Amino acid sequence: MNNFEKMTEQELIEYIKKIKQKYAGKIAIPAHHYENSNIVELADVIGDSYKLAVECAKLEAEFVVFCGVRFMAEGSAVLAGEGQKVIHPDVTAGCPMADMIDEDSAREAYELILKLSGKKIAPVVYMNSYVDIKAFCGEHGGTVCTSSNAKKIVKYYLDQGFSVFFSPDNNLGINTARELGITDNEVVRIKRDLTISGNPATAKMFLWDGFCHVHQRFTTEDVENLRAKYPGIKLIVHPECTEEVVNAADISGSTQKIFNEVTNSADDVIWGIGTEMNFVQRLADDNPNKIIVPLRESYCFNMAKINLKNLAESLEIIDKHYSEGAGLKNEVTVDSKYKQNAKIALHKMIEIVES
Ligand code: 13P
Ligand code: SF4
């Protein structure tokens, strides 16, 4: 066994590259944009949660070593091909928002709003959720969405006369509702204790009350401060920010949209970015000719749990597995009772988006 604890950053990088080369085609490393730069630089696929879901479904490597949080690795395991294994370098890298709803709460809320509204309701869950609730959506004719496609997915159901039960992110839900012109009396909010505010009879969207603490922290005061400090600044924020912050910004969009807008802009644009700080820092490093500042420094510590050391450990285990038949560690498995319906929900998302 290597002593990764004692290795320098450079030695760890060299080890990871060596194992990747040794098993070229057999190991793939996808990484979310929020990962540290040293991880992103070693990745084979980099993207937001939608891009990663689509790209991972196409991977042929036997091992997918997923650098992101658990719900993303789990999504990749749901879409994995026969015999393909997903390894998560740190299984404690979770997402507090994904913990804010589970199958039982979703079922109770869904049954309650069906009864109160008398409407056809499609459950749509944000990718930032676990397999039980994705399966619940698949089982009830609903689907999954990500921040890059929430508007298209919700519209798809509204156009067919459904109202949408949207969970867990309240902010993405309300920001999507506003983009679709949905008014206050067409929105119902559901708290985790199942208390409801709003009129179910007129509701087009029923919103769960989850949130991301990383994005919830941005305030309109942050926006005012940045506009005062950098006159002419262009503000782009993630739709997990509050409705007030999204309204105060110039643009909102998924991580990939933020990446594209900033990367493709003219050099003289001053960017203020309201999203995860590791990602903002990398954008600033990769675009030295542009002024890029965070709306506030807000980190996702879960994403940052994936590091060179635990990535190297994961690759060493795969190496030992191939060379000595050793057992695996940190393999992401999906309960068979959820897998099929979760797969249906994820495929439905891809089908709607690609249509
Ligand atoms: P994206 O869908 O933009 O990748 O967002 C994922 C996420 O966890 C943001 O907090
Ligand atoms: Fe979860 Fe927020 Fe981290 Fe995204 S940024 S993984 S929503 S805690």
Side-chain angles (χ1 to χ4, degrees), residues 32 34 47-50 69 71-72 95 97 126-128 146-148 212 214-215 238 240 253-256 275 303:
H32 190 269
Y34 292 179
D48 66 357
S49 53
Y50 181 71
V69 288
F71 72 77
M72 296 177 176
C95 165
M97 186 207 283
Y126 191 23
M127 185 64 115
N128 302 27
T146 72
S147 57
S148 65
C212 163
V214 177
H215 290 89
H238 195 279
E240 285 175 18
S254 75
T255 310
Q256 193 65 43
T275 191
M303 288 278 189

Side-chain angles (χ1 to χ4, degrees), residues 34 214-215 218-219 222-223 226-227 230 233-239 241 245 249-263 265 269-285 287 290-298:
Y34 292 179
V214 177
H215 290 89
F218 300 110
T219 63
D222 295 336
V223 172
L226 222 53
R227 289 208 193 277
Y230 299 95
I233 194 168
K234 202 162 173 182
L235 272 161
I236 185 162
V237 301
H238 195 279
C241 294
V245 167
D250 300 299
I251 317 175
S252 78
S254 75
T255 310
Q256 193 65 43
K257 178 167 173 179
I258 296 174
F259 181 88
N260 295 345
E261 289 277 346
V262 173
T263 307
S265 73
V269 180
I270 303 174
W271 284 104
I273 309 184
T275 191
E276 203 278 335
M277 185 59 201
N278 262 321
F279 174 52
V280 179
Q281 187 57 56
R282 191 157 56 82
L283 279 174
D285 294 342
N287 294 275
K290 297 172 193 170
I291 298 174
I292 296 173
V293 289
L295 185 52
R296 157 195 289 272
E297 292 191 10
S298 188

